[in-house]
Amino acid sequence: VITPEEQAKIVVLMNQTNLNHEGGDAKHYGQSWGSGFPLEHPMFAPIIARLTPQVEQVFGLELEPSGLYARIYRNGGYLGAHVDRDDLQYTASACIVEPEKPWFLFVEGDEATQGAPYAINIGALDAAVMNGTQKRHWRDTLNCDDDDMGMYVFFHWKKREPKPSV
């Protein structure tokens, strides 16, 4: 879902952005750095425009973009189990830089998995989509070399509400 050219530009952008650090004592994130971006950001707006119809097709709904966040996880990083805020109903978690060792995104299981969580390894330039307000999701602790990392961009949508008739 991300081209190699976009990947290179996102890596540069992330290295030039003043990212917020959230250390090992944070409830949801450990050893990670992140930042929100405006939906109109020139790097991300074309990707959002390209992804929106694909995500709409997956969920069978008309959607509107509602959030954009990017995060770098280093050794010791994690994502605590949570559900997303109401306005972040549908998410495409896109991998920009994949850690050398598989680092799974776990999503709460259902009848198909007999309650066991789905374990998803998102490769570089790929994405996984989910309804983050309905399913708890998390990542266990990233164990990697100090010079390794995982870099992700989270594109969010919410259900498009019908426009009121005049």
Side-chain angles (χ1 to χ4, degrees), residues 76-153:
Y78 61 86
L79 173 63
H82 69 286
V83 294
D84 292 334
R85 297 187 321 254
D86 288 344
D87 62 326
L88 308 176
Q89 291 174 310
Y90 303 95
T91 300
S93 179
C95 180
I96 307 305
V97 176
E98 182 180 8
E100 288 184 20
K101 297 177 186 174
W103 191 43
F104 296 97
L105 171 65
F106 293 97
V107 179
E108 183 177 39
D110 51 26
E111 291 176 14
T113 65
Q114 298 178 348
Y118 290 92
I120 305 162
N121 189 37
I122 308 168
L125 310 181
D126 289 336
V129 296
M130 68 177 169
N131 182 329
T133 60
Q134 298 297 312
K135 295 285 186 179
R136 287 175 4 111
H137 49 284
W138 66 94
R139 287 181 184 268
D140 291 339
T141 302
L142 176 61
N143 294 305
C144 65
D145 294 334
D146 287 340
D147 60 344
D148 196 9
M149 71 169 146
M151 182 184 293
Y152 301 86
V153 177

Side-chain angles (χ1 to χ4, degrees), residues 40-75:
E40 306 80 21
H41 190 284
M43 176 69 249
F44 297 111
I47 299 170
I48 292 169
R50 188 173 68 238
L51 286 178
T52 298
Q54 295 177 41
V55 176
E56 287 177 329
Q57 184 175 12
V58 168
F59 292 104
L61 298 168
E62 290 187 16
L63 303 174
E64 62 183 277
S66 62
L68 176 59
Y69 203 82
R71 181 167 293 282
I72 296 172
Y73 295 89
R74 294 283 189 180
N75 186 36

